[in-house]
Amino acid sequence: MEYKYLLDLAIILLSTKLLGLVTRKFKMPQVVGALLAGVILGPACFGVIDNTDFIKTLSEVGVIVLMFSAGMESDIHQLKKAGKASLIVAGLGVVVPLVVGFAVASVFNNPSVIQTDLETSHFLQNVFIGVILTATSVSITVETLKEMGKLNSKVGTTILGAAVIDDILGIIALTVITSLADPSVSVGIVLLKIVGFFAFAIGVGVVTYILFKKWSDRHIDDHRRFVVMAFVICLLMSFCAEEWFGVADITGAFIAGIILSNTSHAKYMASRFETLSYTLLSPIFFASVGLSVVLDNMSVMLIVFALALLGVAIITKIVGCGLGARLSGFNNKESLQIGCGMVSRGEVALIVANKGAAVGLMSPLLFGPVVIVVVVTTIISPILLKLSFGGGKKKKGSGQKGTEQLPEHEPDVSTAPGADTVVQEAALPQKE
């Protein structure tokens, strides 16, 4: 058997921790250090570690657990209040990047500038590049908001809600464009599946909540069972979302967390998943994004295209989502915070790019610029988010209305759960 994966895991955990501490010294979120660790260890720099299937699989489980935890720690009443605002933010956060991304791609992706040698029309190729820019990966933002104690703020819940809606709108856009290139894909069927997923989620959610509550009330003395059963529900919802309905697995995980968020043991379960996340899964997920950077055969024109695409990716999300937030009644600072929280593309954009390549909408030549956009937006999003919040703690009671609903703390997310979690656990009977 090959045991190098054990060495790879040890190097990833150590490097993400060390660089996380370094970035924390510079008052940046520690996830930035974890992302940089992946870039440095991967083929883009020293090539010490490859992004193997094993690491990719663990990374996928990591982002599922991260979003599940975010769901359990979310305030469902706040999410309901933020529903309309989230819809407007997500809508403009899709339309603006799509239009501007198409315009930029039209300038570069043509035979006189960059020759891709694809049979698909350049119009569809350029629209698809715009579709890639509509993607949002909120997992990095979730970790940053947790680190700053802002996850349940009005801004945080709006970002979470918008990210879920953004995922659905992105799937619809991807389905429409791929159906034009691949006659075997039916737009109507995919849209029906999306509607079916949310009907499924509501029905299963109500039944699961009732059964889980009754079962947990009968086994109040052993909390370990709750954690195992909660993880089973998370994985099943993730599987059903991706396999049966074509919706991202992280959306299923987030909804599973929402279902369990109102149970009496939610805080205890969230603390246990936080332990699993920070000790293994989250560092691997963040490093895996950096490990995916491969920049071979990058010509001068491709580098220019990558920089232009990067600028568009950052500005259009801040402007589009920020404008949506402003129209929803947020002030200028809150609108900027929401825009910055939606910048990260993460693994979602890579998945979209791979699906487009499978039907001839994405040339391998353009993967380099797309990867640059994914990695840089993922690194810069938590930095912009923290800067938009002011970068530091505020005195109690001095926060803006709607953004300071939780006491802020800045725990070391890569070493221990927050102190508030420890207090919550101390109040619960445990049998372990």
Side-chain angles (χ1 to χ4, degrees):
M1 291 181 64
E2 176 60 61
Y3 291 101
K4 185 178 180 297
Y5 72 92
L6 297 175
L7 178 61
D8 290 346
L9 291 180
I11 294 174
I12 288 174
L13 295 177
L14 179 62
S15 60
T16 52
K17 174 60 183 175
L18 291 177
L19 284 176
L21 292 175
V22 170
T23 53
R24 190 181 183 189
K25 290 291 184 183
F26 289 94
K27 300 191 181 301
M28 292 189 297
Q30 295 183 69
V31 295
V32 176
L35 292 165
L36 289 175
V39 175
I40 294 170
L41 294 173
C45 289
F46 296 110
V48 177
I49 298 176
D50 294 323
N51 201 12
T52 61
D53 291 338
F54 174 71
I55 292 177
K56 290 178 182 177
T57 301
L58 275 184
S59 170
E60 185 68 18
V61 176
V63 71
I64 286 173
V65 170
L66 186 62
M67 293 306 297
F68 179 58
S69 299
M72 280 200 295
E73 294 176 19
S74 297
D75 187 335
I76 192 169
H77 302 294
Q78 277 282 18
L79 283 173
K80 288 179 181 178
K81 290 180 182 178
K84 181 180 178 181
S86 296
L87 181 60
I88 297 173
V89 168
L92 288 176
V94 167
V95 173
V96 175
L98 176 60
V99 173
V100 181
F102 167 76
V104 171
S106 299
V107 174
F108 288 91
N109 186 32
N110 64 72
S112 62
V113 182
I114 299 176
Q115 180 62 49
T116 58
D117 296 326
L118 289 179
E119 296 181 1
T120 311
S121 72
H122 281 83
F123 175 80
L124 291 179
Q125 293 180 43
N126 297 334
V127 171
F128 181 71
I129 291 175
V131 170
I132 293 175
L133 296 186
T134 66
T136 297
S137 177
V138 77
S139 50
I140 305 294
T141 299
V142 165
E143 189 71 11
T144 306
L145 290 171
K146 287 172 66 177
E147 188 174 334
M148 295 190 298
K150 301 287 187 178
L151 186 60
N152 279 338
S153 67
K154 185 179 179 182
V155 168
T157 51
T158 300
I159 292 173
L160 281 173
V164 173
I165 298 171
D166 186 285
D167 176 57
I168 301 304
L169 295 178
I171 291 172
I172 294 173
L174 175 63
T175 302
V176 171
I177 188 64
T178 52
S179 66
L180 296 176
D182 184 1
S184 65
V185 178
S186 172
V187 178
I189 292 177
V190 174
L191 295 179
L192 187 62
K193 282 185 176 182
I194 292 173
V195 174
F197 168 73
F198 283 99
F200 170 81
I202 293 172
V204 170
V206 171
V207 174
T208 300
Y209 173 78
I210 294 173
L211 293 178
F212 186 88
K213 189 175 184 303
K214 288 183 178 180
W215 174 77
S216 62
D217 288 343
R218 289 202 304 267
H219 300 86
I220 190 68
D221 293 331
D222 193 348
H223 290 82
R224 292 174 298 182
R225 300 180 184 180
F226 307 152
V227 179
V228 174
M229 188 56 64
F231 201 13
V232 170
I233 294 171
C234 166
L235 296 176
L236 287 176
M237 285 295 292
S238 301
F239 172 80
C240 293
E242 186 77 54
E243 188 71 16
W244 294 354
F245 300 98
V247 177
D249 50 11
I250 57 176
T251 302
F254 179 73
I255 291 177
I258 291 293
I259 292 170
L260 300 178
S261 64
N262 279 338
T263 61
S264 57
H265 311 289
K267 292 179 180 179
Y268 174 83
M269 293 185 295
S271 70
R272 288 299 185 256
F273 280 103
E274 185 178 2
T275 302
L276 173 64
S277 183
Y278 78 74
T279 53
L280 177 65
L281 297 177
S282 286
I284 293 174
F285 164 64
F286 298 134
S288 176
V289 176
L291 291 173
S292 65
V293 179
V294 180
L295 303 177
D296 296 337
N297 303 320
M298 286 287 287
S299 65
V300 174
M301 192 52 64
L302 281 174
I303 293 175
V304 173
F305 175 55
L307 294 176
L309 207 61
L310 176 61
V312 168
I314 296 172
I315 294 172
T316 54
K317 279 292 183 182
I318 293 177
V319 172
C321 297
L323 178 60
R326 198 72 184 91
L327 293 174
S328 302
F330 288 90
N331 61 37
N332 291 334
K333 184 176 182 180
E334 293 167 339
S335 299
L336 178 63
Q337 292 165 352
I338 291 173
C340 291
M342 298 289 285
V343 164
S344 176
R345 299 312 195 273
E347 78 291 345
V348 178
L350 292 176
I351 292 171
V352 173
N354 283 325
K355 289 184 178 180
V359 294
L361 285 169
M362 182 74 180
S363 170
L365 193 64
L366 300 181
F367 262 98
V370 170
V371 169
I372 290 175
V373 169
V374 168
V375 174
V376 176
T377 56
T378 303
I379 291 175
I380 203 172
S381 181
I383 298 174
L384 293 175
L385 191 61
K386 194 161 189 178
L387 290 174
S388 68
F389 272 100
K393 300 176 183 178
K394 297 181 181 179
K395 292 181 181 180
K396 188 175 181 180
S398 64
Q400 291 180 320
K401 182 180 179 181
T403 60
E404 297 292 323
Q405 298 184 12
L406 291 180
E408 293 189 45
H409 61 281
E410 192 170 2
D412 183 349
V413 294
S414 61
T415 56
D420 55 334
T421 301
V422 177
V423 173
Q424 292 161 0
E425 287 188 52
L428 293 172
Q430 299 182 26
K431 180 181 177 182
E432 289 200 38

